[in-house]
Amino acid sequence: MKEKIAEGVRLDKWLWAARFYKTRAIAREMVEGGKVHYNSQRSKPSKIVELDACLVIRQGNDQRTVIIKGITDKRGPAVQAAGLYEETPESIEKRENIALARKMNSLTMPHPERRPDKKERRDLMKFKYGGNE
């Protein structure tokens, strides 16, 4: 990436620019909440990011380990944002395995095609809690 490197970019601002979070406020909340670890340690949103630093980012069920490859404080297109970091191969493999396990688990517990209507709900309640007849 042949861009001007911004000096002194905050962690929350970098996460927002790299498109991990939709707003800086959400990025700040995630860092404060311990969902983002900078070089294996909890940090503050005001932490100044450095090149080749390791970030562990938890988003929902997924956890990513990324290495910072570029620093900017401006939010650009997704293609440009993807060039700011590189996900480790171990992280990619682990996420894929967890996604596969989640998918296999959902196959064993099928969901009904529609919600039960009023009569079916009554029958379910009778069956579940035992009806007094």
Side-chain angles (χ1 to χ4, degrees):
M1 216 168 153
K2 301 270 183 186
E3 280 190 24
K4 172 183 99 166
I5 294 178
E7 293 297 323
V9 176
R10 295 168 48 107
L11 178 59
D12 60 343
K13 197 166 191 176
W14 185 88
L15 288 166
W16 167 76
R19 293 182 170 260
F20 284 106
Y21 300 106
K22 194 169 184 175
T23 65
R24 277 188 61 193
I26 295 171
R28 188 185 74 246
E29 287 173 15
M30 293 299 131
V31 174
E32 288 172 348
K35 305 293 186 198
V36 178
H37 287 234
Y38 184 86
N39 287 337
S40 302
Q41 295 181 343
R42 283 185 69 163
S43 64
K44 295 182 178 181
S46 60
K47 172 78 175 158
I48 304 300
V49 295
E50 300 165 347
L51 288 176
D52 297 325
C54 179
L55 290 176
V56 177
I57 303 166
R58 180 175 294 277
Q59 292 177 306
N61 294 326
D62 293 335
Q63 180 173 324
R64 297 174 182 234
T65 304
V66 298
I67 307 295
I68 297 175
K69 294 295 179 188
I71 299 176
T72 185
D73 59 351
K74 296 194 184 338
R75 189 173 170 107
V79 176
Q80 181 183 359
L84 295 176
Y85 62 90
E86 178 183 313
E87 189 170 1
T88 62
E90 297 86 19
S91 172
I92 295 170
E93 182 180 342
K94 188 175 177 182
R95 277 191 314 115
E96 287 173 351
N97 289 341
I98 291 172
L100 181 63
R102 253 193 332 259
K103 185 175 182 181
M104 295 309 247
N105 191 27
S106 70
L107 292 176
T108 61
M109 299 185 331
H111 295 287
E113 295 171 6
R114 62 179 178 77
R115 292 177 59 178
D117 61 18
K118 189 172 184 178
K119 183 179 183 322
E120 291 168 340
R121 276 197 308 274
R122 277 196 220 116
D123 291 341
L124 283 170
M125 295 297 276
K126 252 189 228 177
F127 177 75
K128 192 172 181 180
Y129 298 112
N132 295 336
E133 300 187 26

